[in-house]
Amino acid sequence: MLLLCSAAVAAAAVLHRFGSQAFVPYFGDANPILVTAFLSLVGGVSLGILQRYSWFATRGRGREGLAVAALVGVALTIPVIVVDALGGFEEGINVRAPESLLFYPAIAVVAEIVFHVAPLAVLAALATRTRLGRERARAYCMVAVSLLEPTIQVVWGSAHSPLWANIYVGAHILIFNLIGLHLFKRYGFLEMYSFRAVYYLIWHVGWGIARLELLFGG
């Protein structure tokens, strides 16, 4: 995780140095380098808490977990690309290349910390004060955390997408989060991150470039 967080901070520094506004919708006017560094610290502490409770795998299973993460990440891009092709999303939903090549791998680290690692650490600490067994407590916490990202996305999308597309997005991102958390539980943080990173690189970067020409004429 240290290497991923360091790379995310470095990417934020490069983008900030060249005046990129890619982080503004997420961080506002705050310095993206400082925000990314702070969230990386939060992520490291949170991951330490989760390891102490042995809720999630600390080390992957070699190539198996990464291969599963990559394959599922690729598969999940197919239906959302179809929704986009049917007119589900507006033109400016993606950060454009070449900024996207640095932005999306970095924001994937931030997303995993904000939506998964940090809230899970808080809930894990609270769950130890209950009479729930570890397996049941972990399952409840995973379901609760899986609702964070789709809820935020649906609220944001209500003003930017047709109702039918927004309903689909809510279900899609819920499934995305449940899969990511399962990868975290079974394999570890790297596999959970890889799943999101592969998804982002296809959906936001690769398709993000192609859709401008195919759907909006450049």
Side-chain angles (χ1 to χ4, degrees):
M1 184 175 182
L2 178 60
L3 182 59
L4 288 174
C5 288
S6 299
V9 173
V14 172
L15 290 170
H16 185 63
R17 170 65 179 80
F18 288 97
S20 172
Q21 299 297 303
F23 288 99
V24 171
Y26 308 92
F27 300 163
D29 294 330
N31 186 312
I33 305 171
L34 297 179
V35 174
T36 305
F38 171 74
L39 290 175
S40 296
L41 178 61
V42 170
V45 172
S46 300
L47 195 60
I49 293 172
L50 292 173
Q51 289 176 349
R52 185 174 69 186
Y53 293 125
S54 301
W55 271 29
F56 296 93
T58 57
R59 294 185 179 181
R61 301 182 184 179
R63 296 179 181 179
E64 176 190 339
L66 293 175
V68 171
L71 288 173
V72 180
V74 170
L76 272 188
T77 63
I78 297 173
V80 76
I81 288 174
V82 172
V83 170
D84 191 23
L86 293 174
F89 308 117
E90 60 187 11
E91 182 177 352
I93 60 171
N94 298 316
V95 172
R96 297 198 178 199
E99 295 177 33
S100 60
L101 295 171
L102 288 177
F103 174 74
Y104 284 109
I107 205 67
V109 174
V110 171
E112 291 300 350
I113 293 170
V114 171
F115 293 127
H116 292 159
V117 178
L120 278 170
V122 173
L123 292 177
L126 294 175
T128 59
R129 302 175 183 274
T130 70
R131 295 182 179 179
L132 293 172
R134 189 186 74 165
E135 294 299 321
R136 180 176 295 182
R138 181 174 59 185
Y140 288 165
C141 291
M142 287 173 64
V143 171
V145 166
S146 72
L147 297 173
L148 291 175
E149 189 175 5
T151 300
I152 292 172
Q153 184 64 45
V154 166
V155 171
W156 177 87
S158 62
H160 300 275
S161 301
L163 178 61
W164 66 269
N166 207 29
I167 292 173
Y168 171 79
V169 166
H172 182 90
I173 298 181
L174 175 60
I175 293 170
F176 179 94
N177 275 261
L178 289 171
I179 292 173
L181 289 168
H182 175 73
L183 290 170
F184 188 24
K185 179 172 72 74
R186 183 171 181 178
Y187 297 109
F189 179 84
L190 177 60
E191 286 74 12
M192 179 174 65
Y193 167 79
S194 298
F195 167 60
R196 184 180 291 268
V198 168
Y199 179 89
Y200 278 7
L201 288 173
I202 295 175
W203 163 238
H204 287 300
V205 180
W207 176 248
I209 296 171
R211 71 189 296 274
L212 295 175
E213 180 65 32
L214 295 174
L215 304 182
F216 302 100

